[in-house]
Structure formats: structure tokens, C-alpha cells
Amino acid sequence: MNVIQEIIGRFKLNVLHIAEVPESFSSEVYKLTLVTQEDVYVKIPFNKDKLFREYEMLEKLTGIIPVPQVLDIWAGDERTAGALLLSAIEGVPCTGVVDQQLAYQIGVYHAKLHNVTMPGYGVHETAGFRMLEPNDWRLYIKSNFAKWQEPCKEILKPELFAKCVAHFAGVFAALPEPERPCVVHMDFRPGNILINDNQVVGIIDYESARGGSSEIDFTKINKYVWEVDPRVKLPYLQGYETIRPLLDLERVLPFYSFYDAFCAVAWCRKRGLEQHKAYLQESISVLERLVGV
């Protein structure tokens, strides 16, 4: 019996049709149509920590922003990390044209997400919330960059790698003081924003979400929305500021665009260079542009 059939049995579901959801880079996601004609989703995470991270975040955000409802959870066994059974949201990923009205709404919901406070910088895991030790966001960012250097050195050309290491020091020093811990999505991009009739109806995928400084959470909206059409940046910012003040993005974005691309190279090294070739090349191109190679 394959994994999805086993999980269907665990959740006691009567299923008419199973469809695998594409573009699920870390977890396996399936759309199930039940005999009642209702659609639900099963998400099988990469590991058990991600299972509980997503579960806790969805529970925390319910009623604050539109998120899927957790219908059931299976904690897994020695072979499988477990699974979440999630309600369907009637919408499609926001991967087409984003107009000014939609950008404004996205800004509002992103700010509502960041308005949710956390007990510290850290993540939900199987055993509960694990706070960083020490509870220092800057030290966490610095140690991540140091950890990623070894896998990145194997992939990047020597000149590019050396320039990345030198570049980090300058842009890191320019960062403003970090905000107090709030919920950060960590993958806030159009593919995780669901829309219906040009209205935001859902924000999905919380397996990497955590308590952090909001500064880390603007990189992908900048890359995939603002840089595609700079006219929608102002409406987004206006929507965001109806809920909470903005950080100084001019100081934040240069660093985190670099940090995100360097992280992506290390991630591709860990998860498979061939399987993620396009993402790897995209990330290397960003690094080359930012450090001037």
C-alpha cells in the first residue's frame, strides 16, 4: 500500500479521486475528491517537525487571516512523518497579473500575519516551541550564513563565493534593529496566496513559518511581484500600513535578497541539484547580480 492510500485509511475517508498537487517543493500534497463531492487536501511534510510547525501555525492564525482548517492530523509512524487533513479553499494561486487592488489586499493580509506575536524567535517542533538560544535574531542569521558556506562553496565558482562572503559583512551591518518576535511565513510568494475573483481568499503553506523579525518576510513578494511590476509596490505598502508600521525596506531588502539566494543554493545542494536545477540557476543569477560578478 502506498503512503497516500495508507493515510486515506487512517483518516477514514471515502475517496472518488486523487490528484497530486504540483509545485509542492518540500512536502507531498494531494487533492482528494470525496464521495460527497467535497474536496479536501492531504499534506505529507518532509519531516515530523514540519508537520507540527504547520499544525500549530494554522491553529494560531485561524480567525486572523484566511487559512485552511485542520480537519484531522496523523502523527505518523517510523516510516512516515505524518499528515494533515485540510479543508479546501475555493481559490487559485495568485501567479498571474497582480493589479493595484489585489496588491493592496496582499499588503493588508501580510501585515495581519506579522501582527501576530510569538513568545520568542524560534519554531514549533514535535516537542513544542523551541526558542533560539540565545534569543538573538541577528546571531541566528549570522550563524545560518556560516552554516551554508560549506555547501555553497562546493557549487559556486570561487570568485563568486569569495565575493558573497565579503558582501555579507557589508549588507549585514546595514540592517536596522530587528523587530520583536512575530509570525513570519518564510515563503510569502504568489504561489502561496490564493485568490478568487481578484480577492485574496487564503494564505497557505506554513511548514517553515516561525517566530522571527518581519524583515525576513518581504524578499519573495519583492522578487515575484514588485520587481515584475513596480507600480504595485506602493498599493501593497499602503495596505500593509493600514495595519502596522513598515520597517525601512531600503535597508532590509538588499540584505535579505542576498541571504535568500545564498540559502537557496545550500537548500538545492541538500535536496538535490538535478531535481532543482532551475531554482539553483535562478538563485546563482541573483547572487551574481547582487555582488557584481
Side-chain angles (χ1 to χ4, degrees):
M1 183 187 298
N2 63 28
V3 173
I4 185 59
Q5 292 293 347
E6 179 186 359
I7 290 168
I8 286 169
R10 295 272 182 180
F11 289 146
K12 298 181 172 59
L13 302 174
N14 293 316
V15 176
L16 278 178
H17 184 255
I18 303 171
E20 191 166 356
V21 176
E23 305 297 317
S24 299
F25 299 110
S26 183
S27 301
E28 292 178 54
V29 182
Y30 295 89
K31 180 181 180 180
L32 308 181
T33 302
L34 307 181
V35 294
T36 59
Q37 300 299 318
E38 177 190 4
D39 290 331
V40 293
Y41 285 85
V42 165
K43 185 166 188 178
I44 307 168
F46 184 71
N47 58 42
K48 203 175 289 290
D49 285 339
K50 287 182 179 289
L51 173 76
F52 285 97
R53 196 171 304 163
E54 179 127 22
Y55 172 78
E56 293 291 344
M57 282 297 178
L58 288 174
E59 293 291 288
K60 192 176 190 71
L61 294 171
T62 296
I64 297 172
I65 61 172
V67 296
Q69 180 186 354
V70 179
L71 303 174
D72 207 345
I73 181 171
W74 174 49
D77 53 26
E78 65 281 353
R79 294 181 298 109
T80 307
L84 290 172
L85 181 65
L86 303 173
S87 66
I89 293 174
E90 292 300 318
V92 295
C94 174
T95 51
V97 174
V98 174
D99 64 18
Q100 294 187 14
Q101 176 190 345
L102 186 54
Y104 183 93
Q105 289 180 57
I106 292 170
V108 168
Y109 283 117
H110 205 182
K112 286 184 175 182
L113 178 76
H114 291 163
N115 239 14
V116 180
T117 59
M118 292 290 284
Y121 300 119
V123 292
H124 286 288
E125 292 186 344
T126 311
F129 185 75
R130 179 173 63 84
M131 195 178 298
L132 297 180
E133 290 187 15
N135 189 38
D136 185 328
W137 183 251
R138 286 284 170 270
L139 185 60
Y140 167 71
I141 295 297
K142 201 170 186 177
S143 63
N144 279 345
F145 183 77
K147 179 176 64 179
W148 297 333
Q149 286 186 39
E150 186 175 340
C152 286
K153 191 173 186 179
E154 296 177 21
I155 299 167
L156 301 178
K157 292 177 181 177
E159 181 192 4
L160 177 57
F161 177 77
K163 284 202 169 187
C164 284
V165 173
H167 184 79
F168 175 85
V171 285
F172 182 79
L175 288 172
E177 281 297 305
E179 281 198 323
R180 296 172 71 178
C182 68
V183 173
V184 289
H185 188 285
M186 300 296 290
D187 197 17
F188 196 82
R189 58 184 174 86
N192 288 327
I193 302 167
L194 302 182
I195 61 170
N196 190 337
D197 194 24
N198 211 43
Q199 301 289 316
V200 175
V201 293
I203 312 291
I204 61 172
D205 194 7
Y206 294 89
E207 64 178 41
S208 298
R210 64 196 60 214
S213 173
S214 68
E215 65 190 24
I216 200 170
D217 227 21
F218 297 94
T219 308
K220 292 185 178 178
I221 207 76
N222 177 59
K223 181 178 181 181
Y224 297 118
V225 179
W226 302 343
E227 289 183 354
V228 172
D229 183 358
R231 294 173 299 177
V232 302
K233 183 176 180 180
L234 180 58
Y236 167 94
L237 300 180
Q238 290 171 336
Y240 191 97
E241 289 186 307
T242 64
I243 305 299
R244 70 196 309 266
L246 267 165
L247 290 171
D248 184 350
L249 291 180
E250 299 310 310
R251 293 172 67 187
V252 165
L253 285 173
F255 173 78
Y256 279 105
S257 296
F258 166 77
Y259 177 86
D260 180 70
F262 199 80
C263 164
V265 172
W267 185 89
C268 290
R269 173 68 182 82
K270 181 179 179 181
R271 296 295 181 89
L273 299 179
E274 280 303 310
Q275 302 96 304
H276 304 286
K277 190 182 294 185
Y279 186 39
L280 174 64
Q281 192 50 56
E282 176 189 302
S283 304
I284 291 173
S285 297
V286 170
L287 292 176
E288 290 172 339
R289 174 172 58 84
L290 291 175
V291 305
V293 172

